[in-house]
Amino acid sequence: MRANKALGLLVIFLSLMLFSDPHLCLGEEKGATTEIILLSDELYYDPGTGKVTAKGNVEVTREDLIVKAPFAEGFINTEEFRFWDQVVASWPSQEATLTCIELQISKTEGGTLLRSVGNSHLVRGKEDDIRSNELEWLQGEKIYYSATGDVDAQFGEMTIVAEKVVREGENFKADKVRRFVDRGRGLRVSALEVTGKIKDEMIEELLASGSVVIDHEPKEGEKTHITGQRARYIKSKGVLEVTGDARAVQEGRTIEAENIIYHVDDKHIEALGRPKVTVEVKEE
């Protein structure tokens, strides 16, 4: 079946396949349907395979989600849909926009899973900005997202540049972290791996391992540069613990030890395990 300048065709198919998850429709009763509008220059439907293909100025609208692309296709039986060739998706009420080369949408037990591929860029409001090669996230009750490949993300006062970032609930993990910045604390971290916990959308605890480098640049006072093999930051205590060939450098002095405890608020340093202090003395 083929239709030109298709409008609103296969509304039932799209409702069942993509968007009828009750967890995503606050205020809807289970089993309720919502109108889906599909626009395209050409639309093909194969009742034998359940495949629908749309070409030319494709636009799908479902409540707050609008997806635009030159091409789209999907299957009724597998409940999957794909948009490709410069995709733009937007959620106006959230002030969110996603651009990518390809967007895949599928229904899972936990909600609707979206996966963007190629030059993925998600902007939400004025504070959240994520760029990566691939981006995957779940729209449902559980918080889940994964960004892979040249990740450059900003969340409020936090920025992370890494190869991969994954968050599941309160837990997050980042690999090959080139830069993790907490501007509120003036902390900057790089490491092979960073894991931690998020509470109220703020970093509550952070663990870094492998070639750890930490710079603390407070708004007032001297800078501190710390290196080691492992580090643990506990926000509630305001303490940064560094182990494994730990070394801290402040203006005019260097401290080396097996373990270094750094108090972020007052910049006080404790050195444990064969400490060594080198002080620069200026000769007059």
Side-chain angles (χ1 to χ4, degrees):
M1 180 172 66
R2 171 177 175 175
N4 293 323
K5 297 295 181 181
L7 170 60
L9 192 63
L10 301 180
V11 168
I12 296 177
F13 155 68
L14 288 169
S15 300
L16 291 175
M17 183 180 67
L18 291 176
F19 307 111
S20 61
D21 189 337
H23 291 108
L24 306 180
C25 309
L26 298 178
E28 288 187 5
E29 296 181 358
K30 186 174 181 180
T33 60
T34 301
E35 184 179 58
I36 306 299
I37 299 175
L38 187 153
L39 291 167
S40 64
D41 294 337
E42 299 181 7
L43 187 66
Y44 305 84
Y45 175 59
D46 184 343
T49 63
K51 181 178 180 180
V52 59
T53 302
K55 297 181 179 181
N57 299 308
V58 179
E59 179 176 327
V60 174
T61 303
R62 191 274 188 192
E63 291 188 335
D64 194 43
L65 174 61
I66 303 170
V67 183
K68 298 179 180 181
F71 305 98
E73 65 180 10
F75 293 88
I76 296 177
N77 296 333
T78 58
E79 299 189 359
E80 297 177 347
F81 209 71
R82 182 171 74 100
F83 303 84
W84 71 94
D85 195 7
Q86 304 305 323
V87 182
V88 178
S90 60
W91 295 260
S93 70
Q94 302 179 44
E95 297 183 347
T97 302
L98 168 71
T99 57
C100 58
I101 295 176
E102 180 178 323
L103 177 63
Q104 302 169 9
I105 304 178
S106 60
K107 187 177 179 182
T108 69
E109 293 182 358
T112 300
L113 185 67
L114 300 97
R115 180 171 182 261
S116 64
V117 179
N119 299 326
S120 301
H121 184 199
L122 176 65
V123 178
R124 185 174 62 180
K126 298 180 179 180
E127 296 188 344
D128 294 348
D129 190 312
I130 305 173
R131 295 177 184 269
S132 63
N133 291 336
E134 297 183 8
L135 182 61
E136 181 178 87
W137 71 100
L138 183 69
Q139 288 188 331
E141 294 182 352
K142 180 181 177 181
I143 297 176
Y144 168 79
Y145 64 75
S146 173
T148 305
D150 295 325
V151 181
D152 188 341
Q154 177 176 311
F155 307 97
E157 294 188 336
M158 294 180 293
T159 297
I160 184 166
V161 178
E163 182 59 28
K164 185 175 182 178
V165 178
V166 178
R167 178 180 175 183
E168 294 188 65
E170 295 183 346
N171 301 312
F172 76 92
K173 178 182 177 183
D175 296 328
K176 296 182 180 178
V177 180
R178 297 189 292 278
R179 184 170 72 252
F180 178 91
V181 181
D182 184 341
R183 287 183 293 278
R185 285 281 189 173
L187 286 173
R188 177 174 174 147
V189 180
S190 65
L192 294 180
E193 180 181 281
V194 173
T195 61
K197 291 186 177 295
I198 298 174
K199 184 177 181 180
D200 298 327
E201 299 308 310
M202 299 292 291
I203 298 297
E204 183 68 20
E205 183 177 357
L206 184 146
L207 302 173
S209 61
S211 303
V212 179
V213 179
I214 301 169
D215 288 295
H216 183 216
E217 300 183 4
K219 295 179 181 178
E220 298 180 358
E222 61 186 347
K223 300 178 182 179
T224 302
H225 178 78
I226 305 174
T227 59
Q229 289 304 310
R230 293 168 298 280
R232 182 187 184 193
Y233 171 62
I234 305 174
K235 181 183 176 182
S236 60
K237 296 181 179 180
V239 170
L240 183 63
E241 301 174 354
V242 182
T243 61
D245 300 322
R247 186 172 186 263
V249 179
Q250 291 179 330
E251 186 176 358
R253 59 185 177 275
T254 300
I255 301 173
E256 299 174 90
E258 294 176 1
N259 304 318
I260 284 179
I261 299 176
Y262 178 67
H263 297 264
V264 177
D265 292 331
D266 61 12
K267 298 175 286 296
H268 174 68
I269 294 177
E270 298 179 43
L272 307 174
R274 302 178 62 84
K276 175 184 176 182
V277 180
T278 303
V279 179
E280 295 181 6
V281 179
K282 294 183 180 180
E283 298 181 357
E284 296 184 3

